[in-house]
Amino acid sequence: MATLLHIDSSVFPAAGSASRAVAETFRKAWEEQHPEGTVIYRDLATDPVPHLTADAHTAGFADPSTHTPEQAAVFAERLKLIEELEAADAVLIGAPMYNFTIPSTLKAWLDNVILVGRTAGDSPSVKGTPVTVVASRGGSYAPGTPREGYEYVQNYLSAVLGDMLGLEADFIVPELTMAPQVPAMAELVPLFESSRERAHQDATVKAKTLAERLAA
């Protein structure tokens, strides 16, 4: 049976988070299609992983037999995260845009699981694993919009997930999520509602398609 690694990074609870809501739609559709599968869940907001330290970094390039006690302890934590990623047949990541980029908690997770010579490099151990990213944002950074040049979520994650880890990255982008709360964005509410509906529809379709593909 296939295993889904589901990671949320929004600081807001489900009721106030577009990325959590859409990711939950994806997960439910996945579980309905694949009821006997396994879901590994990490909420990086409530249970953040450690930011990369010098000991954790240098331990990744040293023979384990030479690790100091400090290196051994922190590297063991990195290995847990790496092994979770390697065990996954598919990955789901909620990645809201904060100040033009991803939450620092998600960056910390990435820094821990990117290990040159294992998950990254010439032959990544996770190469080809499909990853679906729910990249929500309060405004719009789509091509042709005034803030197109400030899109550092999809661009960054495409490079890290696709080029470094060799994952098969796909994105769902709920945008204009601040429109209902910001008076100056009131005229954009219909576009927000359309984007939200499309994101949930995409999540359902992509989850079912992926589950069917992995079950084949």
Side-chain angles (χ1 to χ4, degrees):
M1 295 293 102
T3 296
L4 174 69
L5 174 59
H6 176 188
I7 296 170
D8 274 326
S9 62
S10 172
V11 298
F12 299 105
S17 168
S19 66
R20 286 182 184 272
V22 175
E24 182 63 19
T25 293
F26 182 104
R27 177 172 168 172
K28 285 181 178 179
W30 166 279
E31 291 175 327
E32 289 172 1
Q33 194 71 26
H34 203 63
E36 296 182 6
T38 299
V39 176
I40 301 171
Y41 180 62
R42 278 194 174 271
D43 188 334
L44 299 180
T46 60
D47 188 19
V49 302
H51 283 276
L52 200 64
T53 63
D55 282 333
H57 176 74
T58 55
F61 298 95
D63 186 322
S65 65
T66 68
H67 286 177
T68 65
E70 293 77 16
Q71 286 178 315
V74 293
F75 193 63
E77 294 302 312
R78 284 190 73 184
L79 283 179
K80 288 180 184 178
L81 301 175
I82 289 170
E83 289 168 356
E84 281 183 353
L85 178 59
E86 291 176 331
D89 297 291
V91 183
L92 171 65
I93 299 176
M97 178 185 281
Y98 293 159
N99 301 317
F100 304 131
T101 190
I102 62 173
S104 63
T105 51
L106 181 54
K107 179 61 164 60
W109 179 81
L110 287 166
D111 287 341
N112 275 280
V113 300
I114 295 171
L115 181 59
V116 176
R118 182 162 176 171
T119 59
D122 293 335
S123 300
S125 59
V126 294
K127 184 176 182 179
T129 302
V131 54
T132 304
V133 180
V134 181
S136 61
R137 60 275 315 274
S140 178
Y141 301 80
T145 61
R147 290 197 166 187
E148 174 184 357
Y150 292 94
E151 209 302 302
Y152 301 116
V153 173
Q154 281 180 267
N155 290 338
Y156 170 71
L157 290 177
S158 292
V160 172
L161 297 175
D163 297 342
M164 291 192 72
L165 295 173
L167 300 173
E168 181 186 306
D170 191 21
F171 291 85
I172 300 173
V173 186
E175 61 179 11
L176 301 168
T177 62
M178 291 300 296
Q181 286 79 44
V182 179
M185 297 176 68
E187 63 181 16
L188 299 175
V189 169
L191 292 177
F192 152 71
E193 292 173 341
S194 296
S195 176
R196 178 181 59 186
E197 181 179 357
R198 185 168 57 252
H200 283 280
Q201 290 174 346
D202 285 351
T204 298
V205 171
K206 289 178 186 294
K208 289 183 176 180
T209 301
L210 186 55
E212 289 173 354
R213 170 182 149 189
L214 293 174

